[in-house]
Amino acid sequence: MEKLKMQTANVVDENIKRIGELFPNCLTECLNDEGKPEVAIDFDQLRQELSKNIVEGPEERYQFTWPDKRNAIRLANAPTTDTLRPCREESVDFDNTRNLYIEGDNLQVLKLLRENYLGKVKMIYIDPPYNTGNDFVYNDNFDQDKQEYVHNSGQYDEEGNRLVANSESNGRFHTDWLNMIYPRLKVSKDLLSDDGVVFISIDDNEVDNLKKVCNEVYGEKNFVGAILWKKKTNGNNMGFLPPVHDYIVCYARNLSKIDDMGYPITEDFINNSFSNPDNDPRGLWTTTDLSANHKGPYFPITNPTNGSVHYPPAGRYWVFNEDEVKRRIADGRIIFGKSGNGKPVQKVFAEKRKFGKIRAESWWDNKALNSDATTELTNLFGVAKLFTHPKPSKLIYHLAKISSNSHDLILDFFSGSATTAHAVMQLNVEDGGKRKFIMVQLPEATDEKSEAYKAGYKNICEIGKERIRRAGKKIKEESPLTTQDLDTGFRVLKLDSSNMQDVYYSPKDFSEKTLFKDNIKGDRNDEDLLFQAMIELGIELSAKIDKKSIAGKEVWMVNGNYMLACFDDDVNEDTIKEIAKLRPYYFVMRDSSMASDNVADNFEQIWEEYSKDTVRRIL
């Protein structure tokens, strides 16, 4: 039976494996830090495989770089032994909700989510620090031996701030921001579904650098666009051109996989946008351009009525080939304006558009303002200025509406006051959807002089969790008949160091006497162990969890019989046998839980007899 690693996968090892599959001749061996051989890449050999055009050394090439970029890449790829511990007392409907609220450093949290939610997130929205000179950025270079303190405090290490104020006088002003944002975007990309999109709010200070980072992480070809959002009515005379807008930069995981992005077609839209002046038997119609700016057919189209000849406008091409154009002219799907003497356009029938979408444009001046966000929070909490610079839920509501479907998963890993969770619940109640959310937020302490602190909220996470509780309650009260199945709960998980003692990871460093001691930390419980096992085995952390007594022992059941786990002491053969009869996909137990050597000797034989295909793992 294999032992759980109790740490995330090493991304570098996975990358080496992929390169080895493409170029097996580039694999070699080297000695690691322990003097043992391990697989590595022969970069000279790899260069030869890619030698059509090699750019190296002092030769100039286009590139985007900054100090410590290599370290930012290393941070994204490095595995972590951290875990997420459930907190039932701060959760809402823990046993039934599919939503998650996670407290902790978002880089470590994203690594822990990577395997469980690989390719499962349809939309990411983040509102990271804008780097205005007053914002804080994450200091990811804290010492390893201080990790325990950082996990527990959530904000400060012993020698400085966990969050570092990035003032404009800092010589690394842009560098520190880039080192913060790059690894987080790199890891979060893996969570996006193939047709997923990411929206990032930003202002003028870093929008150029953000696009360059996103071009590298997502690929320039996957740039969807940048929304200019009017956030306020005046710029308060700030600067020569007072800013009243923010940007929302949007990239796709794979732009070619996105069929459409926009608002659902409504009856009002059909009635206002379509007509049937020629009594076409195919119903209501409107016209659209017959040309596009991507490479395509280029030929003259002749109006059969008056003989006029038409070419595509400069720099554009027809969307159909010549034979298709002739067919569509013949059956009246291409016309020459409503008068018959204009340029060629194509008819689009309402019946065909009912299942499409109305595309959103890049200028948003009527969605919501920052002042709406402040009013929204004040009305919810009864406290003014509870949170600095919140986003209005209506803004994120619109982003989710144009980019997600009814059962999609939405992630925000700079969740702040949990505006995204509020927006998701509101959208679900309006269209009957069952979208799920994952909120991630560092428990950043509130200023003792702030209204939030005076109201009893000691950190941002306390504000976010309470906002979801209040918003969920308000939404249900306002629509009692349509919210019976609305999920307004959330399962709270908190980032912490591993549940396992150091001896678990490096037994060779400990004496024989120490090895036989319990390898689990004394302050951890069985549910903590369950969640760390779920993380490693790639099981969604919102999975249904039950407990059942089997042969006198407590057994955890995840998603029915998909995963069974028993962490009790003195587990005998009868218990193992009864669990095996349930034929789970995974079974997990502590090595020290076996009642005797005889149980250990017969363990594999019992499983071979009753459920040989079950994957067995031990702690």
Side-chain angles (χ1 to χ4, degrees):
M1 184 163 61
E2 277 189 51
K3 185 178 179 181
L4 286 171
K5 296 177 181 176
M6 302 301 265
Q7 70 175 32
T8 58
N10 190 318
V11 178
V12 173
D13 290 342
E14 294 296 319
N15 291 338
I16 290 174
K17 181 180 178 182
R18 292 191 188 99
I19 291 174
E21 290 170 353
L22 289 172
F23 308 108
N25 59 317
C26 294
L27 293 181
T28 185
E29 284 189 354
C30 67
L31 297 180
N32 62 20
D33 294 338
E34 298 175 355
K36 297 179 180 179
E38 65 179 13
V39 177
I41 297 295
D42 184 333
F43 285 99
D44 289 334
Q45 189 70 31
L46 184 60
R47 284 189 180 92
Q48 291 180 38
E49 293 288 350
L50 306 173
S51 62
K52 182 179 180 182
N53 288 299
I54 290 183
V55 181
E56 58 183 345
E59 188 172 342
E60 293 180 352
R61 87 291 303 265
Y62 177 80
Q63 60 181 222
F64 176 53
T65 190
W66 63 89
D68 293 339
K69 182 179 180 181
R70 288 186 179 182
N71 191 49
I73 296 172
R74 182 191 63 78
L75 279 169
N77 292 336
T80 178
T81 60
D82 289 349
T83 190
L84 297 173
R85 300 177 65 189
C87 183
R88 284 181 173 268
E89 60 271 21
E90 296 178 23
S91 304
V92 174
D93 199 16
F94 184 98
D95 289 322
N96 299 303
T97 185
R98 300 299 307 278
N99 303 316
L100 298 178
Y101 187 97
I102 306 177
E103 296 185 23
D105 178 349
N106 52 16
L107 179 57
Q108 301 306 311
V109 171
L110 288 169
K111 289 180 182 182
L112 292 168
L113 296 178
R114 181 155 41 190
E115 293 302 318
N116 306 64
Y117 294 92
L118 187 69
K120 293 181 179 179
V121 175
K122 182 62 177 292
M123 169 187 149
I124 295 175
Y125 170 78
I126 57 171
D127 182 18
Y130 275 16
N131 210 20
T132 63
N134 300 311
D135 295 277
F136 290 84
V137 296
Y138 291 69
N139 173 17
D140 288 313
N141 295 317
F142 55 87
D143 294 339
Q144 190 72 21
D145 60 358
K146 299 191 185 80
Q147 277 205 15
E148 191 81 25
Y149 187 86
V150 171
H151 284 306
N152 294 334
S153 71
Q155 187 173 5
Y156 300 105
D157 63 27
E158 290 174 341
E159 296 180 355
N161 292 323
R162 179 74 179 91
L163 291 175
V164 178
N166 198 31
S167 64
E168 292 183 27
S169 60
N170 177 11
R172 294 168 53 92
F173 180 64
H174 293 293
T175 293
D176 285 349
W177 190 86
L178 287 166
N179 285 330
M180 177 277 296
I181 200 69
Y182 184 88
R184 288 162 174 82
L185 292 180
K186 195 171 189 298
V187 177
S188 66
K189 177 192 174 185
D190 292 340
L191 277 65
L192 275 178
S193 60
D194 215 24
D195 60 347
V197 293
V198 56
F199 295 101
I200 308 170
S201 285
I202 202 69
D203 69 355
D204 286 306
N205 289 296
E206 294 293 354
V207 65
D208 292 335
N209 281 332
L210 176 64
K211 283 191 66 178
K212 289 173 184 176
V213 167
C214 288
N215 284 342
E216 183 167 317
V217 172
Y218 300 103
E220 191 171 355
K221 65 180 181 180
N222 291 314
F223 175 59
V224 177
I227 297 168
L228 268 74
W229 167 56
K230 185 176 180 179
K231 64 180 181 178
K232 53 187 177 181
T233 55
N234 66 76
N236 298 324
N237 295 318
M238 294 173 61
F240 293 104
L241 288 172
V244 296
H245 71 279
D246 274 350
Y247 302 93
I248 304 173
V249 175
C250 181
Y251 279 78
R253 174 67 189 264
N254 188 339
L255 192 61
S256 65
K257 298 294 183 180
I258 298 178
D259 294 329
D260 215 344
M261 199 166 80
Y263 296 100
I265 300 290
T266 63
E267 284 298 325
D268 286 343
F269 174 79
I270 294 291
N271 294 332
N272 293 330
S273 305
F274 292 76
S275 61
N276 194 1
D278 60 352
N279 294 315
D280 193 311
R282 290 166 289 195
L284 299 172
W285 57 271
T286 189
T287 60
T288 61
D289 198 348
L290 194 60
S291 68
N293 58 10
H294 56 76
K295 193 79 172 178
Y298 188 90
F299 56 89
I301 294 178
T302 302
N303 185 332
T305 302
N306 59 22
S308 61
V309 177
H310 302 270
Y311 285 89
R316 296 176 70 86
Y317 304 85
W318 298 129
V319 294
F320 302 116
N321 62 37
E322 197 163 358
D323 290 339
E324 184 63 20
V325 165
K326 290 177 180 178
R327 280 193 292 270
R328 287 176 178 256
I329 291 175
D331 69 8
R333 285 183 291 162
I334 290 179
I335 61 175
F336 293 83
K338 293 183 178 180
S339 66
N341 297 311
K343 67 177 184 179
V345 291
Q346 58 175 318
K347 273 187 177 182
V348 177
F349 293 93
E351 194 61 35
K352 298 286 187 181
R353 286 297 309 273
K354 282 183 179 179
F355 305 103
K357 289 188 175 182
I358 309 165
R359 290 191 176 176
E361 297 180 340
S362 61
W363 170 238
W364 287 19
D365 64 342
N366 59 354
K367 298 299 186 282
L369 300 172
N370 271 342
S371 57
D372 297 320
T374 302
T375 302
E376 188 173 45
L377 274 182
T378 301
N379 291 339
L380 267 181
F381 285 86
V383 178
K385 298 180 180 179
L386 189 72
F387 194 85
T388 306
H389 306 308
K391 291 292 185 289
S393 64
K394 206 67 177 176
L395 174 68
I396 304 170
Y397 162 97
H398 281 287
L399 295 175
K401 192 167 186 175
I402 67 173
S403 65
S404 71
N405 296 316
S406 61
H407 285 71
D408 285 334
L409 176 60
I410 294 173
L411 167 67
D412 184 344
F413 54 90
F414 285 94
S415 70
S417 64
T419 305
T420 300
H422 189 163
V424 170
M425 292 188 293
Q426 187 63 50
L427 181 55
N428 278 343
V429 75
E430 291 188 16
D431 69 2
K434 294 188 181 298
R435 296 170 187 82
K436 303 173 289 294
F437 63 75
I438 299 177
M439 301 292 105
V440 183
Q441 176 60 44
L442 188 78
E444 179 186 343
T446 53
D447 191 303
E448 293 184 9
K449 297 178 181 178
S450 68
E451 294 301 317
Y453 188 90
K454 293 174 185 176
Y457 301 103
K458 299 301 185 289
N459 63 57
I460 291 177
C461 291
E462 292 181 7
I463 298 173
K465 288 177 289 189
E466 184 61 19
R467 190 218 184 121
I468 303 173
R469 296 185 192 106
R470 293 183 181 223
K473 181 181 179 183
K474 183 173 183 287
I475 289 170
K476 285 190 170 183
E477 288 174 348
E478 291 174 347
S479 307
L481 298 179
T482 58
T483 56
Q484 294 178 357
D485 297 326
L486 181 67
D487 184 0
T488 58
F490 54 94
R491 184 176 284 181
V492 174
L493 305 173
K494 298 189 178 186
L495 182 71
D496 211 327
S497 59
S498 174
N499 297 310
M500 315 309 291
Q501 302 277 18
D502 290 343
V503 62
Y504 186 89
Y505 299 101
S506 53
K508 67 180 182 62
D509 296 335
F510 295 84
S511 67
E512 186 175 327
K513 181 178 179 181
T514 309
L515 285 173
F516 288 98
K517 288 185 177 180
D518 196 345
N519 57 11
I520 297 167
K521 292 175 180 174
D523 64 337
R524 307 304 166 92
N525 59 39
D526 289 353
E527 198 163 30
D528 292 332
L529 298 178
L530 180 72
F531 270 82
Q532 190 161 6
M534 288 167 63
I535 289 169
E536 182 166 339
L537 297 176
I539 300 171
E540 290 190 10
L541 302 178
S542 60
K544 180 72 173 173
I545 298 173
D546 296 296
K547 281 190 289 187
K548 183 178 181 180
S549 179
I550 298 178
K553 299 298 178 183
E554 189 177 75
V555 177
W556 296 87
M557 308 181 73
V558 180
N559 278 345
N561 288 359
Y562 184 73
M563 171 183 165
L564 300 184
C566 181
F567 305 117
D568 283 3
D569 294 327
D570 299 321
V571 176
N572 59 33
E573 292 181 9
D574 290 338
T575 305
I576 301 295
K577 189 182 297 182
E578 292 304 312
I579 292 174
K581 287 180 180 179
L582 296 174
R583 302 177 66 83
Y585 186 86
Y586 285 115
F587 173 66
V588 178
M589 70 179 297
R590 294 167 59 178
D591 193 15
S592 60
S593 292
M594 296 189 190
S596 65
D597 291 342
N598 192 50
V599 175
D601 292 340
N602 295 328
F603 183 88
E604 294 296 339
Q605 184 179 341
I606 293 171
W607 283 100
E608 284 297 315
E609 181 178 352
Y610 291 99
S611 186
K612 65 179 181 180
D613 293 329
T614 293
V615 179
R616 288 92 73 181
R617 295 288 186 266
I618 60 168
L619 303 180

